Amino acid sequence: MSNLLIKNAYELVTCKGNHPKHGKEMSDIGIIKNGAIVIKDDIIADVGDTEQILKKYNESEYKVIDATSKAVLPGFIDSHTHFIFGGYRADEFSWRLKGDSYMSIMERGGGITSTVRATRNTSLNDLINIGKKRLNKMMEMGVTTVEGKSGYGLDLETEIKQLTAMKELNEIHPIDIVSTFLGPHSVLPEYKGKEEEFIDFMINNVMPIVVKNNLAEFADIFCEKNVFSIEQSRRFLNEAKKLGLKLKIHADEMVQFGGAELACELSCVSADHLLQASEKGIKNLANSDVVATLLPATAFCLKEDYARGRYMIDSGCAVALATDFNPGSCFTFSIPLVIALAALHMDMTIEEIICALTINGAAAIGKSDVIGSIEVGKKADIIILEYPSIHFLPYHAGINIVETVIKNGKVIG
Ligand code: NIG
Ligand code: FE
């Protein structure tokens, strides 16, 4: 039995709730001044004012962390990544710096296809070892749960290999991993013009094995002009739903395509990217519980305009923020960078940013009833900052100020 008591937090951010927070609700992150938390095993047992808590509990029975002059928050949730892959695409990055575009590199057989080749040639063991190193670095930045996608196999063997790597990492690494089957991530040259056949292959030959072996909770598709159409996306996601997978969608990233509308039609758990989401798409998202997951580091790395985060929140959407870490469009899993970009380029307040990285991140992976906030009954996934206030987060542009990471009630970093 491990009991932990955190006391004297200058700001204790609770983010209380168990559903996606929409619009104005995102500003109410429930800060307790001079707060304390009581943790029994891996679960939060009590939360409140330090004086009140210390009257109720005997400090000598606990390992005590004194958080004087520090802010305490729920652990960050990175709800959109592609962190398991082989190889690198530094050459493509340098071409893009000279003016080449992401989509034109992809259409010439580079891009995702190039990572598919490298991932097919990387062993399961190597994928696990690379993944472990990446997870360790994410953990240092306060990430306690991460979503990871397949999609660099595009054949049965390698899709399963990627998902198996994540399953094994989930068992051996303190960070929790939520896996997503992203079979239709790209159209390989041999499938050009035969996209329907490829979708059939994913539906009939890969998805049932993924489900049977419990390798993914979510299904996802790259719904985009010149990749997979709205009709193909609808067909794939509907089949995934029938097999019991929850749904996500890469939507409206490069062009306005009706992805946000489709996400609402199919009750996806999240619609991600949304740089080009239409007015109607944003309105539909606001009237649904589909989480709008924004990935500002991708816009930054692609030199694209940012998603309209401010407008989406003002319109009543439930917005989450994630890194989108992947070898092509966004080689970063830096939470401090995401915070800086959301504050400086999407005009989100720090309260909204924290909500988007905690309770709304949890909602984006269907877990807002167990993680994403500091409240009684939730998992004790908690971070402590080096500084007293949340306002030090965006002010430290791109600098990590997470000092202590607690996962399942245990100090892990
Ligand atoms: O979310 N847009 C599609 N998928 C990834 C990029 C993958 C890659 O380039 O390797 C994304 O941006
Ligand atoms: Fe992505």
Side-chain angles (χ1 to χ4, degrees):
M1 173 113 175
S2 73
N3 291 342
L4 190 63
L5 194 152
I6 304 170
K7 65 175 185 181
N8 298 329
Y10 188 79
E11 285 179 359
L12 168 54
V13 180
T14 59
C15 288
K16 210 164 170 229
N18 52 17
H19 67 282
K21 296 198 191 235
H22 287 254
K24 284 197 174 64
E25 274 182 312
M26 287 183 66
S27 303
D28 180 16
I29 56 171
I31 296 184
I32 300 173
K33 287 277 184 176
N34 194 30
I37 310 168
V38 180
I39 298 161
K40 297 209 168 144
D41 291 329
D42 54 342
I43 300 293
I44 296 168
D46 210 343
V47 182
D49 167 79
T50 296
E51 256 178 52
Q52 303 295 325
I53 290 282
L54 293 183
K55 274 186 203 148
K56 276 169 57 185
Y57 299 88
N58 183 350
E59 271 189 79
S60 66
E61 291 167 13
Y62 293 83
K63 174 177 159 33
V64 176
I65 296 181
D66 187 350
T68 298
S69 301
K70 297 180 195 301
V72 176
L73 288 77
F76 293 135
I77 294 161
D78 194 346
S79 62
H80 181 142
T81 84
H82 309 245
F83 81 99
I84 294 291
F85 56 85
Y88 299 95
R89 295 185 358 230
D91 48 354
E92 289 182 15
F93 188 78
S94 66
W95 303 337
R96 284 201 284 109
L97 291 180
K98 289 184 192 134
D100 218 337
S101 82
Y102 177 82
M103 287 311 268
S104 88
I105 294 171
M106 184 173 185
E107 278 152 26
R108 300 200 309 266
I112 294 172
T113 304
S114 135
T115 300
V116 167
R117 273 193 298 271
T119 307
R120 287 180 180 178
N121 288 326
T122 305
S123 69
L124 174 64
N125 237 340
D126 286 349
L127 285 181
I128 292 173
N129 285 331
I130 299 165
K132 207 188 291 171
K133 282 192 192 150
R134 292 175 183 155
L135 288 173
N136 287 341
K137 290 183 184 166
M138 292 178 195
M139 194 169 81
E140 282 172 19
M141 290 184 273
V143 172
T144 48
T145 302
V146 68
E147 184 261 10
K149 302 174 197 292
S150 70
Y152 291 122
L154 311 188
D155 60 8
L156 173 64
E157 190 192 334
T158 321
E159 286 295 304
I160 299 295
K161 184 170 69 180
Q162 271 192 281
L163 291 168
T164 304
M166 286 189 265
K167 190 172 184 170
E168 296 199 6
L169 281 166
N170 189 37
E171 278 155 22
I172 61 174
H173 199 280
I175 291 191
D176 280 324
I177 298 165
V178 172
S179 295
T180 297
F181 170 50
L182 173 59
H185 190 196
S186 183
V187 186
L188 293 176
E190 58 267 36
Y191 274 106
K192 267 282 167 220
K194 295 194 259 178
E195 287 80 2
E196 295 294 341
E197 220 178 276
F198 180 70
I199 298 266
D200 284 340
F201 170 72
M202 283 295 159
I203 291 173
N204 299 322
N205 299 58
V206 187
M207 193 147 66
I209 297 175
V210 169
V211 171
K212 187 166 152 255
N213 293 295
N214 213 356
L215 287 171
E217 276 183 55
F218 284 86
D220 193 347
I221 185 164
F222 189 14
C223 176
E224 187 71 45
K225 189 173 173 218
N226 293 334
V227 192
F228 296 105
S229 68
I230 289 286
E231 293 70 30
Q232 288 158 352
S233 303
R234 182 185 286 115
R235 189 159 79 81
F236 173 78
L237 292 174
N238 268 327
E239 291 302 320
K241 196 190 263 181
K242 280 188 208 153
L243 290 194
L245 294 169
K246 289 174 270 185
L247 309 182
K248 289 182 165 283
I249 181 169
H250 279 65
D252 302 315
E253 180 180 356
M254 308 291 176
V255 299
Q256 200 170 99
F257 206 54
E261 290 87 330
L262 182 66
C264 297
E265 176 195 317
L266 299 178
S267 297
C268 289
V269 175
S270 73
D272 302 36
H273 283 288
L274 302 171
L275 273 60
Q276 308 293 339
S278 71
E279 283 301 319
K280 183 160 177 282
I282 292 174
K283 202 163 163 212
N284 291 0
L285 287 169
N287 291 322
S288 75
D289 262 346
V290 181
V291 177
T293 301
L294 307 184
L295 311 164
T298 310
F300 176 68
C301 292
L302 291 177
K303 300 214 267 182
E304 297 284 345
D305 290 337
Y306 292 84
R308 295 196 291 161
R310 176 76 267 135
Y311 179 73
M312 289 183 194
I313 294 172
D314 290 342
S315 304
C317 293
V319 168
L321 287 165
T323 63
D324 193 25
F325 170 49
N326 73 72
S329 61
C330 184
F331 202 105
T332 182
F333 42 73
S334 169
I335 296 289
L337 176 64
V338 167
I339 292 173
L341 296 175
L344 294 165
H345 290 287
M346 298 202 307
D347 297 330
M348 288 172 65
T349 66
I350 186 56
E351 288 83 0
E352 290 164 345
I353 291 170
I354 289 171
C355 173
L357 282 169
T358 58
I359 187 66
N360 278 7
I365 50 170
K367 303 230 176 299
S368 54
D369 51 340
V370 271
I371 51 174
S373 61
I374 296 181
E375 63 187 298
V376 175
K378 287 231 178 156
K379 263 195 191 210
D381 292 356
I382 294 163
I383 57 178
I384 305 176
L385 306 184
E386 221 179 301
Y387 295 97
S389 163
I390 56 172
H391 295 284
F392 282 75
L393 281 167
Y395 168 59
H396 279 80
I399 297 175
N400 181 30
I401 59 166
V402 173
E403 192 174 66
T404 307
V405 182
I406 296 161
K407 174 72 192 169
N408 289 328
K410 290 197 182 60
V411 177
I412 56 166

